[in-house]
Amino acid sequence: GLAGRLQSSRGWGCSVAKGNPGRADGGLGDAAVVIASRARGTTVQVVGMVFDKTPLNIFSLASKPLKTPKELEGKTLGAPPGDSQRQMFPAFAKINKIDASKVAWVNIEPAAKIAAVAEKRMDGVGDYSTGLPLYEKAAGKGNVVMMNWADFGFDMYSMSIMASAKTMKDRPAVLKAFLEASYMGWRDVIADPKAAMEIFKKRVPEVDVELMTPNMLLGIALMKTERYAKGGIGWIDEKKMCDSVELVNTYMGLPKKVECKDVFNAAFFTKVEMPK
């Protein structure tokens, strides 16, 4: 279950998408970042998805809420320069007819996002929707507003499992087993979230169960889709992936165009069905 998935994940990092090949066998990364890395010469590929529905989102305070895309004009938002929300904002803006030049982005560290909202340092920040419990812990329950991009026509792949070319070539059986174990773990978590959190607590005693349970449930909601019901947990839909690549090619200012076929490799995927 969850404990096994976490155990099998040890040693998997994000270095492969950051131009540091060889430092990790694979890892978790936003699909937009992985796609863009191909234009910079990496050989990293997406081998499976985590969330089928995008968690890209903007957080703001209920006292000064940002509920619709048009309300972002004239506002100041915070995110690191390489953040996926910030990188893909031009695409989100075009889809929703926002004048992107009227939205100011401020560079902040990832760890500063929550305080930036809670302490009213800026109008909002870009962050995954799964972080809601952390924002509510700082600002108070019911005091945080989300603008889920998926609710405004933005259907793009986001959190994915990636692997290096070396891993795919030298350790294909291990990679295939890792993916299957990961998705079996997610299946068990989706089937019984309470039991999964109890196992997690045993393995990581310092975890705040009250805080992380809603975080986990938000993640599960991003996986309960028709695509996963059909293709299995983590299934890569080729059309959605190629549409995602096209968005990155169009809006991220890459040094060269990325071909969809170079971005993902479904050969290591084993179908693990969603729990009934």
Side-chain angles (χ1 to χ4, degrees), residues 51 59 128-135 186 197 200 207-222:
F51 300 135
F59 284 112
Y128 277 8
S129 58
T130 50
L132 176 62
L134 302 172
Y135 283 83
W186 274 114
M197 189 55 70
F200 193 21
V207 70
D208 184 336
V209 172
E210 188 176 342
L211 183 66
M212 294 311 296
T213 296
N215 171 270
M216 178 178 67
L217 294 175
L218 284 164
I220 289 173
L222 298 172

Side-chain angles (χ1 to χ4, degrees), residues 64-66 70-77 102-105 123-124:
K64 194 179 178 184
L66 298 172
K70 199 67 177 173
E71 292 173 335
L72 296 173
E73 292 184 355
K75 302 299 190 301
T76 298
L77 305 177
K102 294 181 180 178
V103 181
W105 285 92
D123 298 307

Side-chain angles (χ1 to χ4, degrees), residues 249-263:
N249 278 327
T250 304
Y251 295 104
M252 283 185 67
L254 305 183
K256 64 178 181 179
K257 183 179 179 180
V258 176
E259 297 296 329
C260 181
K261 63 180 176 59
D262 296 331
V263 167

Side-chain angles (χ1 to χ4, degrees), residues 84-139:
S84 49
Q85 275 91 182
R86 186 165 177 180
Q87 291 286 317
M88 294 312 302
F89 183 73
F92 180 73
K94 183 169 184 179
I95 289 169
N96 288 283
K97 297 180 172 55
I98 305 168
D99 185 345
S101 68
K102 294 181 180 178
V103 181
W105 285 92
V106 176
N107 294 338
I108 59 173
E109 291 297 317
K113 288 182 178 182
I114 295 172
V117 171
E119 297 172 11
K120 302 179 182 180
R121 297 179 194 169
M122 50 198 63
D123 298 307
V125 298
D127 207 351
Y128 277 8
S129 58
T130 50
L132 176 62
L134 302 172
Y135 283 83
E136 288 193 326
K137 182 180 180 181

